[in-house]
Amino acid sequence: MKIFVLNAGSSSHKSCLFDLDQDNSEVPNPLWRAALDWTHQQGQGELSASSAGESMQQVLPIADKAEGIKAMVKTLVEGPTQVLDSLSEIDAVGHRVVHGGREYIDSVRIDERVKAAIQRLMPLAPAHNPANLQGIEAMEHILGNIPQVAVFDTAFHARMPEAAATYPGPYDWVEQGIRRYGFHGISHQYVAQRAADMMGRDLADLKLLTCHLGNGCSLAAVKGGISVDTTMGFTPLEGLMMGSRSGSVDPGILMYLMRQEGYSADQLDTLLNKESGLKGLSGISNDLRSVVEAMEQGNEQARLAVDTFIHRLRREMGGMIASLGGLDGVVFTAGIGENSPLVWQRACEGFEFLGLRLKNSLDRSKDDQEITAADSRVRALVIHTQEEWAIAQACLALL
Ligand code: ADP
């Protein structure tokens, strides 16, 4: 069975083709992988694709995302990265959809009703759901009537206890659906299961703290395989300090800025989502690598940004451990989580009192690895997230 996975974002599209007839005891390499990056220049998309040792890159002089997706899909059947004779060999398409609201707490086969729900939920994820729906419609247009599945980023968190999901505003909020939804669920769920496998334990018996630290950062408290708490909330802005997002700030600051400086909702949106976090505080970049480099050269603003990132991380980790009521393992994943020994070390330093002790020498690895010392009571693992693979698996399970 050949499953095409599309992760459609506002500034990029990533896709993979998996052949699920192979032996899939380990996560297999996809047959083909491609990406569209829309950030290089206005009115242009940069297309790259690869398959079994072959690769191609091309600048597309178009701004239309649906046209870009069409060009990306074409590299499956034409040119150096061709892996199929015809697109009709694709059996199903899996989509990452960011917001499933309260209705969709599991993956679902896409029909008109599901599309209407994704549309209806756009105000809750204005940067993501429109791109997801456009991706679904573009694939419908290209492949015709083949099964498509939506796998929601919010779904893994949908069984959170009410007290963890509720904001203490007026009760009207509860009725209006203003609640914690949580995001990155596909990644948190995948790494939790993978951690249990690596620990040789049953996920149902474990209390795990999963740390997805990429451009967007969130933590999840995973108890017995269920997300019982998470740091992102009604939107992906809450919680940890991120690449260019502030994470949680005193809401009073927003009222102050509106009253004293005349900020509009759109200006606050840009400020908190695009001009804050590592980028805003360091004044250098949203990329932790550049900020750490500047810190090592003595830049004090960069030092403050890194120290604040770590402080916030440890503080929220502590909160998740309280929600778990214990801790068997900590998992680091995504760009920062998979690659930064400095973050592993400084984040875990706060929890030595729980018996969490890292190895003396820590190095990045292309394989998933355990980073705790042999006598550590709590285990720490670095796991490469495989969101596309998890989406393909969810499709297979559903179809
Ligand atoms: P996204 O959330 O957009 O999917 P990723 O999970 O790929 O992003 O994470 C991207 C971020 O990972 C970069 O902005 C950078 O801060 C961080 N990163 C990547 N490699 C390293 C590294 N070697 N050391 C520290 N941080 C890294």
Side-chain angles (χ1 to χ4, degrees):
M1 184 168 191
K2 293 197 173 60
I3 297 191
F4 182 93
V5 175
L6 179 62
N7 181 349
S10 54
S11 58
S12 73
H13 289 79
K14 294 180 198 154
S15 51
C16 289
L17 182 74
F18 286 103
D19 184 354
L20 297 179
D21 298 327
Q22 296 172 342
D23 167 22
N24 290 322
S25 44
E26 292 282 313
V27 175
N29 283 326
L31 294 178
W32 165 99
R33 188 187 278 286
L36 276 164
D37 185 342
W38 299 97
T39 58
H40 284 272
Q41 206 175 326
Q42 193 89 29
Q44 279 190 359
E46 202 171 275
L47 168 65
S48 56
S50 61
S51 66
E54 299 291 337
S55 64
M56 60 80 67
Q57 266 194 322
Q58 188 188 349
V59 172
L60 304 174
I62 48 173
D64 186 287
K65 306 276 165 73
E67 282 301 313
I69 295 173
K70 207 162 149 186
M72 179 164 75
V73 172
K74 229 173 167 181
T75 67
L76 276 169
V77 286
E78 281 178 18
T81 60
Q82 179 186 1
V83 286
L84 301 176
D85 292 325
S86 152
L87 293 177
S88 63
E89 291 170 52
I90 298 173
D91 296 292
V93 181
H95 293 270
R96 174 185 181 209
V97 179
V98 166
H99 217 308
R102 295 219 67 184
E103 292 125 291
Y104 293 104
I105 63 171
D106 282 308
S107 304
V108 65
R109 177 126 176 215
I110 296 170
D111 58 18
E112 289 308 313
R113 231 167 46 116
V114 174
K115 286 200 286 182
I118 297 171
Q119 169 105 39
R120 198 165 55 246
L121 291 162
M122 280 182 188
L124 302 191
H128 297 102
N129 269 33
N132 302 154
L133 185 59
Q134 187 182 39
I136 291 167
E137 286 175 341
M139 292 310 294
E140 227 171 53
H141 194 70
I142 297 166
L143 296 180
N145 190 26
I146 74 161
Q148 299 207 68
V149 171
V151 184
F152 298 97
D153 243 352
T154 45
F156 181 54
H157 304 295
R159 293 169 180 87
M160 207 186 307
E162 282 304 303
T166 303
Y167 287 107
Y171 190 75
D172 279 356
W173 286 9
V174 176
E175 290 171 340
Q176 281 177 45
I178 298 181
R179 70 193 316 269
R180 180 180 308 287
Y181 289 99
F183 299 88
H184 292 144
I186 301 166
S187 176
H188 286 296
Q189 185 168 21
Y190 168 78
V191 299
Q193 182 58 60
R194 171 79 179 130
D197 295 345
M198 286 172 73
M199 292 164 79
R201 300 273 304 272
D202 192 343
L203 183 58
D205 300 331
L206 287 173
K207 292 173 177 164
L208 298 174
L209 164 54
T210 54
C211 311
H212 180 108
L213 309 174
N215 266 317
C217 300
S218 72
L219 307 179
V222 184
K223 190 174 181 177
I226 290 173
S227 167
V228 294
D229 206 350
T230 189
T231 56
M232 282 182 170
F234 179 62
T235 73
L237 185 53
E238 195 183 349
L240 298 174
M241 173 172 160
M242 315 184 203
S244 67
R245 279 175 251 169
S246 60
S248 296
V249 296
D250 177 355
I253 297 172
L254 312 188
M255 291 178 271
Y256 171 83
L257 289 175
M258 290 166 84
R259 290 192 186 118
Q260 301 298 319
E261 306 205 13
Y263 269 80
S264 67
D266 285 347
Q267 284 170 321
L268 286 177
D269 189 328
T270 305
L271 188 72
L272 297 175
N273 278 301
K274 305 219 163 93
E275 293 166 3
S276 296
L278 286 171
K279 181 179 169 201
L281 215 43
S282 71
I284 293 166
S285 167
N286 63 330
D287 191 317
L288 182 67
R289 284 167 290 195
S290 315
V291 184
V292 168
E293 214 174 283
M295 176 180 83
E296 286 168 352
Q297 286 162 5
N299 183 314
E300 280 309 309
Q301 221 177 302
R303 173 174 307 283
L304 178 64
V306 173
D307 287 349
T308 308
F309 181 86
I310 298 291
H311 173 80
R312 294 261 159 165
L313 175 57
R314 283 208 288 236
R315 191 168 180 249
E316 297 279 343
M317 286 170 75
M320 292 297 114
I321 295 168
S323 292
L324 285 169
L327 185 65
D328 297 301
V330 180
V331 183
F332 293 101
T333 192
I336 295 173
E338 291 166 20
N339 293 299
S340 176
L342 174 127
V343 169
W344 307 336
Q345 206 147 31
R346 290 191 58 190
C348 292
E349 263 167 20
F351 301 99
E352 279 166 351
F353 72 97
L354 294 177
L356 173 58
R357 270 207 340 111
L358 297 190
K359 287 179 181 162
N360 288 329
S361 117
L362 298 172
D363 264 319
R364 305 161 52 196
S365 161
K366 69 175 188 8
D367 298 319
D368 297 342
Q369 58 165 330
E370 174 155 1
I371 54 171
T372 23
D375 63 349
S376 183
R377 277 206 306 267
V378 174
R379 298 172 74 174
L381 305 160
V382 175
I383 296 178
H384 294 267
T385 193
Q386 304 281 356
E387 286 166 296
E388 283 86 10
W389 171 241
I391 293 169
Q393 289 290 296
C395 275
L396 182 69
L398 197 74
L399 298 173

